[in-house]
Amino acid sequence: MPTLNDLALGLPGYDADDLPVDVARAFIARMLPRVQAVEHLSLRSSLGRVLAQDIVSTIAVPPQDNAAMDGYAFRGDELRAGEATVLTVAGVGLAGQVVGHAIGAGHCARIMTGAVMPAGLDTVVPQELVQRDGDRIAIPAGAVKPGANRRLAGEDLARGSIALHAGRALRPADLGLVASLGRGELPVWRRPRVAFFSTGNELRSVGEALDEGCVYDSNRYTLWGMLQRLGVEVLDLGIVRDEPAALEATLRHAVENADVVITSGGVSVGEADHTRAVMARLGEVLFWRIAMRPGRPMAVGRIASQGREAVLFGLPGNPVAVMVGFYTFVRDALLAMSGAVVRPLPMLQARCTAAIRKRPGRTEYQRGIVSRAADGTWQVAITGSQGSGVLRSMSEANGLVVLAHEQGDVPAGSVVEIMPFDGLV
Ligand code: AMP
Ligand code: MG
């Protein structure tokens, strides 16, 4: 395995002290191991988990041609051009039943949505389009075309086709699709286990008294929430004081019990030295200054203890920087380690309601509130203070305005890209 330093030197544009976001992301994508163990879970327990193998359809869905509407089934080639088609009703097809006898020429069958098409019949006319008189129906000229309102066998899934590809994070529709094959369990990758802790002598946990000069530890709650949403297993290791022995002991415990270790705090210029020394004892950790705001300092590495190895993400301590760093680097990394095929998040485009100051040469993430303008288009307003310690701005926002590396000041009314916080599924 190449050292991280070798890997870094092979990356165009790599500069640890002024690292473009894209280069940092590319580096992380290359250094990640994958969780290898497979678990077999019931359908409902598989929601959100990553599929470990392709799922091949063992049956056709639907199994037979069937009616898409309530109406009358008949032979499409009996439709008359320019005049009504008159047919005699000679059977009834209800959902879950098959018409047992043959329907002859000049005849049709009453049929309900989902019922199997009687042999030889290929077209359904909806009941509201026909006139019925006793056992005869008249289909007005031009009411339907041959083959209309019939669902074909296998049109949802052909037998032998791949219903779901490995690497897919399972969504509600996927569970339904697998159930439609009559299958009740799925092979999924084991979830990565993620240990996390906060560092800082000034931190107090909720429920404790707030001593002078101290702040409550909020990062363990935002991190916990973001990790839960990703569906990984989490291990909260609490607050660690800025003392080498305490840091080393907690890092060792984390590595021995998790695939990934996330720390917050202790990587900024003023504090990096002692953190660097401890982390260097456990493995190879690179300390970066990333061309981004917020979230400039960050450490990334591989550390080991007692024969176990883990990926380390040392995020900065500022509460907004933790979240932005997580979404920019850690989220995709955890998805990739989970075995998921990682695709870029869909971004929204919106006009900014006011000018935004932006310095070229770094990626900036501003907290924005996206809404519909009176003309129906999307607009975005930046929340108040963008300080990296102002967590309220993340709470108020419904998306991050992402201003690209090269971008300069943004005039009011320009279209900007937004990473929305909310999604449908
Ligand atoms: P650091 O990266 O350790 O220098 O911390 C930067 C700033 O973030 C300091 O003001 C810290 O007090 C604050 N901070 C660090 N960790 C946390 C935390 N877990 N919760 C809230 N604030 C924090
Ligand atoms: Mg600190």
Side-chain angles (χ1 to χ4, degrees):
M1 205 188 293
T3 66
L4 295 184
N5 214 31
D6 291 342
L7 202 61
L9 294 177
L11 264 187
Y14 185 87
D15 172 0
D17 288 326
D18 190 20
L19 190 61
V21 167
D22 289 346
V23 180
R25 286 172 51 85
F27 176 89
I28 292 169
R30 289 191 196 184
M31 68 167 280
L32 297 173
R34 281 262 312 265
V35 166
Q36 294 295 348
V38 174
E39 297 173 356
H40 293 266
L41 296 185
S42 72
L43 267 189
R44 286 181 183 162
S45 307
S46 311
L47 183 63
R49 300 293 295 269
V50 179
L51 196 59
Q53 290 155 17
D54 291 347
I55 300 301
V56 175
S57 182
T58 49
I59 57 171
V61 181
Q64 289 115 353
D65 292 0
N66 65 83
M69 303 278 277
D70 292 344
Y72 296 87
F74 64 100
R75 286 180 184 76
D77 62 9
E78 293 195 295
L79 281 169
R80 304 178 74 91
E83 59 176 321
T85 304
V86 176
L87 299 169
T88 303
V89 181
V92 180
L94 301 174
Q97 288 176 5
V98 178
V99 175
H101 57 276
I103 307 288
H107 291 75
C108 65
R110 177 96 175 97
I111 198 156
M112 299 302 160
T113 305
V116 173
M117 294 292 284
L121 309 191
D122 60 5
T123 306
V124 173
V125 57
Q127 59 192 19
E128 57 274 17
L129 295 186
V130 305
Q131 282 124 37
R132 181 161 179 169
D133 183 11
D135 65 352
R136 311 206 116 204
I137 61 163
I139 305 171
V144 285
K145 294 201 172 86
N149 303 312
R150 168 193 51 162
R151 302 177 187 138
L152 294 172
E155 84 174 17
D156 194 351
L157 287 171
R159 181 203 288 254
S161 64
I162 295 181
L164 291 172
H165 289 269
R168 187 177 175 82
L170 294 159
R171 298 175 168 183
D174 303 329
L175 302 193
L177 194 66
V178 174
S180 77
L181 303 176
R183 185 176 170 146
E185 55 63 61
L186 285 172
V188 297
W189 295 112
R190 173 174 76 70
R191 299 186 293 172
R193 219 166 283 133
V194 181
F196 62 98
F197 58 88
S198 298
T199 68
N201 292 345
E202 77 282 23
L203 301 179
R204 293 293 177 270
S205 286
V206 295
E208 290 178 357
L210 195 61
D211 300 320
E212 207 181 324
C214 293
V215 293
Y216 283 117
D217 174 5
S218 58
N219 290 344
R220 265 161 60 228
Y221 291 84
T222 44
L223 272 173
W224 180 87
M226 294 187 292
L227 292 166
Q228 285 290 328
R229 285 288 173 98
L230 267 188
V232 296
E233 266 185 52
V234 295
L235 183 61
D236 180 349
L237 298 182
I239 297 172
V240 176
R241 293 184 64 81
D242 291 316
E243 290 160 9
L247 183 58
E248 178 168 345
T250 310
L251 278 172
R252 285 190 184 280
H253 178 71
V255 177
E256 288 159 23
N257 292 282
D259 305 294
V260 179
V261 181
I262 301 178
T263 64
S264 77
V267 293
S268 55
V269 175
E271 297 187 310
D273 289 347
H274 98 266
T275 315
R276 198 189 297 254
V278 172
M279 289 179 177
R281 281 207 287 279
L282 299 184
E284 191 185 5
V285 180
L286 305 180
F287 280 70
W288 289 340
R289 289 205 290 150
I290 303 178
M292 69 189 280
R293 193 177 134 121
R296 190 158 163 74
M298 183 165 135
V300 169
R302 279 196 292 246
I303 53 176
S305 181
Q306 302 281 352
R308 302 255 335 210
E309 196 172 87
V311 174
L312 173 87
F313 292 102
L315 298 176
N318 271 310
V320 179
V322 165
M323 297 194 75
V324 170
F326 184 93
Y327 286 129
T328 306
F329 303 109
V330 183
R331 178 186 181 277
D332 284 1
L334 292 178
L335 288 175
M337 288 183 73
S338 310
V341 176
V342 181
R343 299 206 170 81
L345 284 171
M347 304 280 275
L348 200 68
Q349 266 152 18
R351 275 180 301 103
C352 53
T353 56
I356 306 174
R357 295 191 59 188
K358 161 73 172 64
R359 212 176 76 192
R362 67 187 186 196
T363 308
E364 291 188 20
Y365 300 83
Q366 308 232 350
R367 281 71 83 196
I369 299 172
V370 182
S371 62
R372 282 264 214 206
D375 65 1
T377 61
W378 292 106
Q379 62 182 14
V380 62
I382 300 303
T383 61
S385 167
Q386 296 293 305
S388 63
V390 183
L391 193 51
R392 182 168 51 83
S393 67
M394 278 305 273
S395 177
E396 284 174 0
N398 59 5
L400 280 178
V401 178
V402 183
L403 302 172
H405 192 88
E406 304 302 344
Q407 167 92 49
D409 286 340
V410 184
S414 318
V415 171
V416 291
E417 292 234 297
I418 295 145
M419 209 188 276
F421 290 161
D422 297 314
L424 180 63
V425 285

